[in-house]
Amino acid sequence: AAAGGVEVLIALARDGTEIQKGGAALALSNMIEAAPGTHEGVVEAGGVAVLSSLTQEASASDDCKLAAAIALVYLASSCPDLAADDTCLSLLLSRLDQPEEDGWRRDSINALLALATSSSACAEQWHRVGGVAALQALARETAEEGVERQAERCDEALVSLGVRRVRRRTAA
């Protein structure tokens, strides 16, 4: 993020080739997730508008749109006055039903859980786009697979959204 890195990545996301746009969106996503202070630089440099337009750009690849959506969701989870839009949530939620390929499903899950646990203010939006039902299904699926930490994170997210924990079957 030092030495103008954020501005360079935003310029690439806006004006680069298809590959550069996707790579820049992914790099921004990783920076925002790993370095909490990065979000301020991204917002100040106009990154929200650039990333938002990438999620809806007709010529953008699915991976590019997904990387931009993940970056926006991480921004929303670290900036209380910034909301993730329905398009971003829907893009990430759509990955929950997909098999794991190249880490996109895992990255989508992590971004969604970060957003859901960051604020209860978005509960209505989560219900509207089907996110609550998707998180409930994910909690059940991960509990059945024995992925306890992720099931607990799903439960935390659901509680944050004002939904009761998912009941799990216990082995007798």
Side-chain angles (χ1 to χ4, degrees):
V6 167
E7 291 84 0
V8 169
L9 289 172
I10 290 170
L12 281 172
R14 181 185 56 243
D15 303 320
T17 66
E18 179 61 33
I19 291 172
Q20 290 171 329
K21 288 178 179 185
L26 185 59
L28 286 165
S29 169
N30 290 335
M31 288 171 65
I32 296 162
E33 178 190 16
T38 306
H39 68 277
E40 293 170 358
V42 173
V43 171
E44 288 171 10
V48 174
V50 171
L51 291 166
S52 280
S53 69
L54 265 182
T55 65
Q56 299 176 39
E57 191 173 296
S59 63
S61 69
D62 289 345
D63 286 354
C64 182
K65 290 177 183 181
L66 195 56
I70 289 171
L72 286 167
V73 167
Y74 276 129
L75 274 175
S77 67
S78 47
C79 300
D81 56 334
L82 222 115
D85 65 20
D86 288 2
T87 301
C88 290
L89 277 177
S90 296
L91 278 169
L92 298 186
L93 289 166
S94 72
R95 295 306 300 186
L96 298 183
D97 294 332
Q98 305 285 323
E100 181 64 74
E101 292 177 9
D102 303 325
W104 285 120
R105 183 175 190 266
R106 180 196 62 238
D107 291 347
S108 296
I109 290 168
N110 288 335
L112 287 166
L113 293 176
L115 179 63
T117 55
S118 70
S119 169
S120 60
C122 58
E124 181 181 319
Q125 179 186 31
W126 278 76
H127 281 281
R128 184 176 60 247
V129 299
V132 169
L135 278 180
Q136 288 171 323
L138 181 64
R140 280 189 295 276
E141 172 191 323
T142 55
E144 289 168 5
E145 292 174 357
V147 187
E148 279 303 310
R149 180 62 192 128
Q150 185 166 304
E152 290 170 10
R153 289 180 66 211
C154 288
D155 281 343
E156 291 169 17
L158 288 165
V159 168
S160 177
L161 294 172
V163 179
R164 288 192 318 219
R165 294 182 182 276
V166 173
R167 294 186 185 175
R168 297 192 194 116
R169 293 183 214 109
T170 56

